[in-house]
Amino acid sequence: MDPLPRFAHDAWLAAIIDSSEDAIISKTTTGIITSWNGSARRLFGYEAEEAIGQPVLMLFPPDRLNEEDRILARINAGERVAHFETERLRKDGRRIPISVTISPIRSKTGDIVGASKIARDISKTRELQQRLEQLNLDLESRVSERTLALELANRELDAFTSAVSHDLRAPLRAVLGFTQALHEDFGPRLPGEALAFLQQIDAATHRMEALVNGLLDLSRQTRGVLQRSELHIDDLARVSWRTLERALGRQLPDLNVDCPHVMYGDDRMLQALLDNLLGNAVKYAGQNRQPKVHIWQEQDDRGQCWVVVQDHGVGFDPAAASRIFEPFTRLHPASDYPGLGLGLATVQRIVARHGGEIVASGKVGGGAEFRFHLGGTLR
């Protein structure tokens, strides 16, 4: 293809410059405007004949006049000034935020004879940034408010649980004492039906005492300041396993645990968490089955360190997974598997105190799996 004639090339180049969405302005080495495209007119409000031949300082707010000396010094030294944000004045006196790139213009002999400025209006970008910053501030404020409200609610709940539990203990002890006295002093003379009623009262009162103690334990386990330290899940799990063996009075199969990575949490709370999870694994192993438990760590694509506790026991209905951590929830008959339904509620609250997450999955007859993280990454 034949090269364009000189006049056609110049017209073609001028058309490109004039159709640009960015303001393109050229000036001399002393800051006098020598060219002004259509976008410069739209951005600053001056016609070309009003701007060409005028000092570029006409576009500078009074508090930014010193910028021009620094810009010209760099241009005259042959530097390119790339993408800096500043403000300039429109003809109507309004300040507008712009992003500017300025490059030196050289003659055929290589001498610097001027500068070319490309300016872009960033008003909408600034507005979006300000809105985003305000949204972040609002979000932080709301999170702080809700965190404070949650802390207050937790403190009130702990205080209520403690007070009610202590207040209930006195009448419970009285009921237990009177039922024992009735049984010892009048048991032989009571009709069979009355004796059965007395035994039911005694059993219900003991269950109520166990519930009160369970609520106190739930409150104690998750109360107070979190004392974080480095810990190994392996060590805590083996302590829980040995404690279970002593409580049961028998030896359990070896615990399959593979958690080499250090985690960061409150060792007292994490010990209680594993006591509950491993205690459930042993309790729900199933009739005439030895409990088999596997514990390991894995990392997700966000770098979160998850601990997985998997057993091969009786499992549970997957449809109940969403409510398994609710206090007093029982998924199996109490006659087969005694308990209060507070163990997993304690586990969930401990994980939440650490800023983590716990997820349960299982199937009837196919075991259960509990996965939790404490908000940290593998190390």
Side-chain angles (χ1 to χ4, degrees), residues 13-26 35-45 59 80 83-84 96-102 116-123 125:
L13 186 59
I16 292 175
I17 292 173
D18 199 55
S19 64
S20 171
E21 293 185 0
D22 294 327
I24 301 178
I25 304 165
S26 62
S35 71
W36 188 264
N37 75 341
S39 289
R41 175 179 56 79
R42 290 187 290 273
L43 180 59
F44 296 110
L59 305 176
R80 181 172 181 266
H83 300 295
F84 79 94
I96 50 172
I98 60 172
S99 173
V100 182
T101 297
I102 307 172
S116 172
K117 174 193 292 188
I118 300 175
R120 175 171 295 178
D121 185 355
I122 57 171
S123 300
T125 304

Side-chain angles (χ1 to χ4, degrees), residues 328-340:
F328 306 114
T329 296
R330 300 298 309 274
L331 303 183
H332 303 86
S335 56
D336 295 335
Y337 302 99
L340 303 174

